[in-house]
């Protein structure tokens, strides 16, 4: 079974990416043939007017994947824009996709409700899911690991595939299935969505001091003023982080101690920061040991393999159309 998944190179990875995406990829690479790529063209759909240095941030992203334990021997790692067939298939699929399908996409509708996007209203943003469909079906993906927010995109991919098959009376693509990520979203330290723009994220390369400084300021249960006040871990961000980074035994222990008022928030946060650091330390070290040359070699190899598959699929498609 083949898995295809992409990530946009929009800045360094934080714990939300690690918990929500990377940990899942680490499991997938053990059981499936995985194609993981840097969706640099997708980054342009929203950031075409920002100076994000796509080349550098793409190499950096692959480096962080590898530092986290993604193994180039087990997976194919490549850059979307290096495989021009993504653009070629995107063009063909754009021809057959009704605008109304794209206009009813919730991601698009949400964005158009925000002034910032509404002003831009670029065609590439509207057709984002068409490019994503090309990314997936070029490789005959069986499974696409996604979070809840990407479900409409995958549904659209299947609709586009069926539409193509109906129009040209040939079944050339596989209909991809979604692999819903079970792991819940990790909130930012202030309780909002974890995001660079909210300044509430812990990055994979944060030092122990930076991690502590951030966890120390995290919001806790407002009912706890004195250490002996009984707490409600279920409303506390720090407890969410314990659930993600501490052992089940420690989570149970913290829950009990918080509820009976036998642990102070400062101690609880110290243990939390230390457990986060236990996970990030080896990632930091591995990242520091990797050089760009190595990463470029890995990308070149991945590109080569991806290119072979993508160009053979594009040949089939072009035979049908022309
Ligand atoms: N849209 C995905 C995201 O924002 C990124 C992506 C682009 C992707 N192409 C893909 C994911 C193909 C899976 C398969 O997270
Ligand atoms: Fe949150 Fe821990 Fe304080 Fe309980 S003890 S409120 S879980 S920080």
């Amino acid at each position: 079974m083949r898995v295809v998944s992409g990530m946009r190179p929009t800045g360094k990875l934080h714990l939300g990416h690690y918990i929500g995406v990377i940990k899942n990829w680490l499991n997938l690479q053990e059981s499936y043939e995985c194609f993981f790529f840097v969706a640099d063209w997708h980054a342009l759909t929203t950031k075409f007017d920002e100076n994000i240095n796509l080349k550098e941030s793409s190499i950096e992203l692959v480096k962080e994947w590898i530092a986290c334990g993604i193994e180039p021997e087990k997976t194919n790692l490549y850059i979307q824009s290096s495989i021009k067939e993504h653009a070629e298939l995107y063009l063909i699929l754009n021809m057959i996709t009704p605008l109304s399908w794209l206009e009813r996409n919730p991601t698009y509708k949400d964005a158009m409700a925000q002034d910032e996007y509404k002003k831009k209203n670029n065609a590439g943003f509207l057709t984002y899911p068409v490019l994503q469909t090309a990314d997936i079906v070029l490789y005959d993906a069986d499974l696409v690991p996604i979070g809840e927010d990407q479900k409409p995109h995958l549904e659209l991919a299947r609709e586009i595939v069926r539409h193509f098959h109906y129009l040209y009376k040939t079944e050339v693509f596989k209909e991809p299935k979604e692999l819903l990520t079970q792991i819940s979203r990790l909130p930012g330290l202030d309780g909002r969505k974890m995001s660079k723009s909210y300044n509430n994220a812990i990055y994979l390369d944060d030092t122990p001091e930076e991690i502590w400084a951030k966890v120390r300021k995290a919001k806790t249960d407002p009912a706890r003023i004195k250490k002996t006040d009984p707490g409600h871990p279920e409303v506390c961000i720090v407890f969410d982080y314990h659930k993600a980074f501490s052992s089940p035994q420690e989570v149970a222990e913290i829950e009990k101690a918080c509820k009976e008022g036998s642990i102070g928030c400062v101690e609880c946060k110290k243990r939390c920061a230390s457990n986060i650091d236990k996970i990030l330390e080896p990632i930091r070290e591995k990242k520091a040991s990797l050089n760009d040359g190595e990463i470029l070699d890995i990308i070149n190899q991945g590109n080569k393999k991806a290119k072979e598959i993508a160009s053979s699929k594009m040949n089939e498609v072009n035979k049908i159309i022309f």
Side-chain angles (χ1 to χ4, degrees):
M1 293 271 260
R2 189 174 283 171
V3 167
V4 171
S5 192
M7 234 171 145
R8 285 172 294 154
T10 52
K12 43 185 194 168
L13 295 183
H14 54 54
L15 288 181
H17 298 119
Y18 182 75
I19 291 296
V21 185
I22 304 284
K23 272 188 90 170
N24 195 28
W25 284 14
L26 291 171
N27 287 329
L28 293 171
Q29 74 176 350
E30 302 304 329
S31 331
Y32 299 105
E33 187 192 7
C34 291
F35 286 73
F36 297 144
F37 68 95
V38 178
D40 53 351
W41 274 329
H42 271 114
L44 280 180
T45 61
T46 53
K47 301 196 182 279
F48 59 87
D49 54 353
E50 289 174 37
N51 195 1
I52 49 172
N53 198 344
L54 281 177
K55 196 163 185 179
E56 207 174 280
S57 46
S58 297
I59 296 170
E60 188 67 9
L61 184 57
V62 174
K63 194 188 268 182
E64 292 202 303
W65 292 349
I66 294 171
C68 287
I70 299 296
E71 295 179 45
E73 298 79 16
K74 290 183 182 160
T75 58
N76 296 288
L77 307 177
Y78 56 101
I79 311 285
Q80 183 186 39
S81 68
S82 298
I83 319 294
K84 306 302 178 204
E85 284 78 2
H86 288 240
E88 192 179 355
L89 185 56
Y90 167 60
L91 180 148
I92 300 284
L93 298 180
N94 266 328
M95 300 303 167
I96 69 156
T97 304
L99 263 183
S100 60
W101 292 8
L102 300 172
E103 283 163 346
R104 70 174 189 228
N105 168 22
T107 317
Y108 177 74
K109 287 207 288 197
D110 289 352
M112 284 312 121
Q114 294 170 14
D115 288 339
E116 187 204 343
Y117 282 120
K118 204 173 167 178
K119 254 196 299 194
K120 294 184 187 175
N121 200 4
N122 53 320
F125 186 76
L126 176 68
T127 57
Y128 183 115
V130 184
L131 181 56
Q132 185 163 350
T133 303
D135 297 338
I136 296 166
V137 302
L138 261 182
Y139 300 92
D140 284 333
D142 298 287
L143 296 169
V144 182
I146 49 165
E148 197 68 34
D149 61 318
Q150 292 283 313
K151 260 175 128 173
H153 286 173
L154 211 70
E155 189 51 50
L156 204 53
R158 284 191 289 264
E159 277 179 297
I160 293 172
V161 164
R162 286 195 289 267
H163 196 45
F164 188 99
H165 292 166
Y166 164 78
L167 287 170
Y168 298 106
K169 315 266 177 295
T170 316
E171 307 244 328
V172 65
F173 300 121
K174 220 173 221 177
E175 266 187 55
K177 289 197 177 60
E178 68 209 20
L179 198 64
L180 265 186
T181 310
Q182 298 303 326
I183 312 158
S184 60
R185 232 170 239 263
L186 189 70
L189 293 158
D190 55 0
R192 292 189 288 177
K193 181 179 178 234
M194 192 182 288
S195 157
K196 187 170 60 184
S197 46
Y198 293 153
N199 198 16
N200 63 358
I202 293 176
Y203 294 97
L204 296 191
D205 58 3
D206 278 355
T207 62
E209 294 74 29
E210 286 170 317
I211 297 169
W212 170 239
K214 290 177 180 180
V215 173
R216 195 173 63 85
K217 285 192 290 185
K219 271 204 352 216
T220 59
D221 175 4
R224 297 206 78 204
I225 298 161
K226 296 192 303 300
K227 180 181 157 183
T228 48
D229 292 334
H232 310 83
E234 66 282 359
V235 303
C236 176
I237 306 293
V238 178
F239 192 63
D240 283 326
Y241 280 66
H242 271 296
K243 281 190 281 189
F245 300 104
S246 305
S247 70
Q249 294 91 308
E250 190 165 1
V251 172
E253 195 188 307
I254 298 269
E255 183 172 19
K256 185 164 168 282
C258 175
K259 282 182 175 162
E260 64 189 23
S262 62
I263 184 174
C265 289
V266 175
E267 187 197 336
C268 181
K269 286 175 166 178
K270 277 194 179 143
R271 285 168 68 169
C272 181
S274 143
N275 290 342
I276 292 172
D277 186 56
K278 271 184 214 138
I279 293 182
L280 294 191
E281 186 185 49
I283 297 176
R284 251 187 341 252
E285 279 175 10
K286 178 93 193 266
K287 189 176 169 194
S289 77
L290 295 164
N291 66 54
D292 286 6
E294 262 174 282
I295 303 297
L296 281 172
D297 286 346
I298 289 164
I299 291 173
N300 283 336
Q301 254 179 20
N303 281 349
K304 223 164 118 187
K305 175 87 187 285
K307 172 88 188 170
E308 265 170 41
I309 298 172
S311 68
S312 118
K313 179 60 76 181
M314 227 28 244
N315 279 340
E316 283 180 64
V317 172
N318 284 331
K319 266 192 217 134
I320 293 168
I321 303 233
F322 296 100

